[in-house]
């Protein structure tokens, strides 16, 4: 996959997957969440065990992340959803958070300048769009681009200093 090779050449940590994590190993919740992901993103997630920047402050979610047990010192694949639910004040807030994350899938986590995410919209009129959100209100997102292919072009151009992206500047 082009973006993986490109990021590896630029110093990102890449650990290729020697075996695909079987779709059967995923919980029903995760299967539902990833069912509408772009094919290229699914391919990326299953092709690598690790894809992280050199500083280890930004990384892509991989299929390994979806099945591993997380401890208190690591980020879960749905870390920001969990944080938002923990901070919710009432059932109405919880329901809004759940609805948001059932229609958005976080595929890149950053801790460079606070916690932030890049997600793909998986349902609704904005399906396929790539959005970015920052702590503490992860669910208040801004559209970054129209699809995953465009995102790959943006990240490559950003890292190559061809066209610096103000959002990616804060994340990677």
């Amino acid at each position: 996959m082009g973006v993986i090779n490109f990021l590896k050449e630029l110093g990102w940590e890449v650990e290729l997957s020697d075996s695909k994590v079987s779709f059967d190993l995923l919980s029903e919740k995760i299967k539902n969440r990833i069912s509408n992901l772009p094919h290229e993103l699914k391919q990326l997630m299953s092709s690598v065990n690790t894809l992280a920047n050199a500083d280890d402050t930004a990384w892509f979610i991989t299929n390994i992340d979806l099945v591993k047990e997380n401890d208190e010192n690591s980020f879960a694949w749905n870390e920001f959803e969990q944080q938002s639910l923990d901070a919710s004040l009432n059932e109405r807030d919880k329901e809004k958070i759940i609805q948001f994350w059932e229609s958005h899938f976080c595929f890149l986590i950053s801790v460079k300048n606070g916690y932030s995410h890049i997600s793909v919209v998986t349902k609704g009129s904005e399906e396929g769009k790539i959005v970015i959100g920052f702590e503490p209100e992860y669910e208040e997102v801004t559209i970054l681009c129209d699809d995953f292919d465009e995102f790959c072009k943006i990240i490559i151009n950003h890292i190559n200093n061809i066209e610096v992206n103000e959002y990616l500047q804060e994340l990677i």
Side-chain angles (χ1 to χ4, degrees):
M1 182 165 222
V3 74
I4 294 171
N5 293 330
F6 174 78
L7 293 173
K8 184 176 184 176
E9 288 176 18
L10 291 172
W12 280 54
E13 179 186 352
V14 176
E15 178 189 331
L16 296 175
S17 175
D18 53 0
S19 65
K20 305 268 188 212
V21 172
S22 171
F23 188 74
D24 297 334
L25 294 176
L26 303 176
S27 70
E28 284 303 313
K29 176 182 179 178
I30 294 172
K31 286 178 186 178
N32 288 336
R33 292 278 179 100
I34 68 171
S35 65
N36 289 339
L37 293 183
H39 174 74
E40 298 81 5
L41 178 55
K42 284 182 184 178
Q43 207 171 19
L44 180 145
M45 291 172 61
S46 67
S47 298
V48 294
N49 293 336
T50 303
L51 183 57
N53 68 357
D55 296 331
D56 203 26
T57 58
W59 59 92
F60 283 81
I61 299 297
T62 68
N63 283 4
I64 293 293
D65 296 317
L66 298 177
V67 296
K68 76 178 181 183
E69 292 289 323
N70 287 72
D71 61 30
E72 60 192 43
N73 298 321
S74 64
F75 277 80
W77 66 271
N78 61 343
E79 182 71 27
F80 300 136
E81 176 183 8
Q82 292 176 18
Q83 287 183 16
S84 290
L85 287 170
D86 288 345
S88 64
L89 300 174
N90 55 50
E91 289 303 313
R92 186 170 167 242
D93 287 347
K94 280 185 181 180
E95 186 57 37
K96 286 180 184 179
I97 293 163
I98 290 168
Q99 285 177 358
F100 175 87
W101 289 109
E102 285 181 349
S103 64
H104 293 75
F105 182 82
C106 171
F107 66 87
L108 190 143
I109 292 177
S110 174
V111 296
K112 179 180 176 185
N113 289 316
Y115 293 169
S116 55
H117 68 92
I118 298 179
S119 298
V120 59
V121 181
T122 58
K123 296 178 183 172
S125 62
E126 302 288 314
E127 185 174 335
K129 295 197 184 296
I130 306 301
V131 297
I132 186 168
F134 299 90
E135 70 175 323
E137 301 295 335
Y138 300 114
E139 296 79 21
E140 292 180 12
V141 296
T142 301
I143 295 174
L144 182 62
C145 58
D146 288 331
D147 57 41
F148 188 71
D149 286 338
E150 186 179 353
F151 170 76
C152 290
K153 291 174 188 165
I154 289 171
I155 194 169
I156 289 169
N157 287 340
H158 174 77
I159 293 173
N160 269 334
N161 288 316
I162 294 170
E163 188 174 339
V164 174
N165 182 283
E166 66 180 291
Y167 294 116
L168 294 183
Q169 190 81 22
E170 295 295 314
L171 272 69
I172 57 175

